[in-house]
Amino acid sequence: MSRRISPVIPGFGLTLGYTLVYLSLIVLIPLAAMFVHAAQLTWDQFWAIISAPRVLAALKLSFGTALYAAIINGIIGTLLAWVLVRYTFPGRKVIDAMIDLPFALPTAVAGIALTALYAPTGLVGQFAADLGFKIAYTPLGITLALTFVTLPFVVRTVQPVLADIPREVEEAAACLGAKPLQVFRHILVPALLPAWLTGFALAFARGVGEYGSVIFIAGNMPMKTEILPLLIMVKLDQYDYTGATSIGVLMLVVSFVLLLLINLLQRRIETP
């Protein structure tokens, strides 16, 4: 006689209902309200707002610096995850805890600290100034700020996958004559690539919408170092709610398309 085991949480219908209500209140309704507000404009008016040179410059800067930061973290974050998983050394737990520091540290505090460090009179910025280039108040400074904020996303998505890869597989491949590069290419890369893409997508998405850590180090010069979130704040300060909403819709659509392409690529890789 089979014994029915009651589920730990309520059934599918109830939990799905709670999920949809929560998702609607937190995500779907606010996004729908933004689209509804932007729909008050005609297509020509909407296009005139999003195609303005200032908006396009901010769009290129925001997505470009977020992409560069995600690529840098994709490399550095993978190396950090490798060191934390594969090696034991003094201070390992301290470094592992410091990886999560950008999650706990207010982004505005991070922005102030980075600005003080990389400004022309800062500890690092003064040496860069002596070499003839600036870090703060340039796209390079924005990229560094985004790299700092988004680093944990890559490390924390790659680290558990790397820890689950048995070392015996690598040792067996080496015993069969595989060179280290072949082991990395044929064993590690296929296992790590889906997680790496997930971390890359999370870092990129966070970088696109980042505001607090960038606002101080950017310099906020229109057409040069003005990011899209700042431009939205400028529109709101000018009581141009329609313009701010239109820029928000532009960011949402571009981000959705890029993340969709990354997810499709990830599914294609995961499918045998």
Side-chain angles (χ1 to χ4, degrees):
M1 181 177 179
S2 61
R3 182 180 178 183
R4 183 179 179 182
I5 301 177
S6 59
V8 177
I9 58 177
F12 173 75
L14 183 59
T15 53
L16 179 61
Y18 280 125
T19 301
L20 293 178
V21 170
Y22 183 81
L23 184 64
S24 298
L25 292 175
I26 301 299
V27 179
L28 298 181
I29 293 178
L31 293 182
M34 184 172 63
F35 277 95
V36 169
H37 192 82
Q40 299 176 2
L41 298 172
T42 64
W43 171 252
D44 292 336
Q45 292 173 330
F46 177 77
W47 180 256
I49 293 175
I50 66 174
S51 62
R54 185 176 179 181
V55 175
L56 294 179
L59 177 70
K60 180 180 179 181
L61 179 66
S62 294
F63 282 88
T65 52
L67 177 62
Y68 291 140
I71 293 174
I72 293 172
N73 280 332
I75 300 173
I76 303 300
T78 303
L79 293 177
L80 284 174
W82 177 273
V83 171
L84 292 174
V85 170
R86 293 303 177 92
Y87 301 103
T88 301
F89 53 90
R92 175 179 172 272
K93 292 184 177 180
V94 176
I95 296 176
D96 192 25
M98 290 178 60
I99 297 296
D100 295 326
L101 185 62
F103 284 154
L105 188 68
T107 55
V109 175
I112 294 174
L114 292 172
T115 304
L117 183 63
Y118 293 112
T121 57
L123 182 62
V124 177
Q126 60 181 345
F127 294 105
D130 293 337
L131 295 175
F133 68 95
K134 294 173 58 178
I135 299 178
Y137 318 128
T138 65
L140 176 59
I142 298 175
T143 303
L144 288 176
L146 295 180
T147 302
F148 171 81
V149 172
T150 60
L151 175 63
F153 290 100
V154 177
V155 177
R156 294 313 183 200
T157 52
V158 173
Q159 189 175 1
V161 178
L162 185 60
D164 289 338
I165 299 177
R167 295 191 180 183
E168 291 79 5
V169 178
E170 303 172 39
E171 294 173 356
C175 292
L176 293 174
K179 298 180 180 179
L181 185 59
Q182 292 175 319
V183 174
F184 175 78
R185 179 180 178 183
H186 296 287
I187 296 178
L188 296 179
V189 170
L192 291 177
L193 190 55
W196 187 89
L197 286 175
T198 300
F200 176 86
L202 292 174
F204 176 74
R206 171 65 187 275
V208 169
E210 178 60 26
Y211 179 79
S213 63
V214 177
I215 190 68
F216 297 102
I217 200 171
N220 311 321
M221 294 178 286
M223 305 294 295
K224 293 183 179 180
T225 59
E226 186 179 48
I227 59 175
L228 273 178
L230 175 63
L231 185 55
I232 292 176
M233 292 299 300
V234 171
K235 295 288 185 181
L236 292 176
D237 290 339
Q238 297 172 350
Y239 301 100
D240 185 6
Y241 300 118
T242 304
T245 304
S246 301
I247 299 174
V249 169
L250 174 64
M251 287 188 65
L252 178 61
V253 171
V254 175
S255 300
F256 178 80
V257 171
L258 292 176
L259 291 177
L260 178 62
L261 293 176
I262 294 174
N263 288 331
L264 290 177
L265 178 60
Q266 181 181 2
R267 286 190 178 185
R268 184 174 181 181
I269 293 173
E270 292 176 345
T271 302

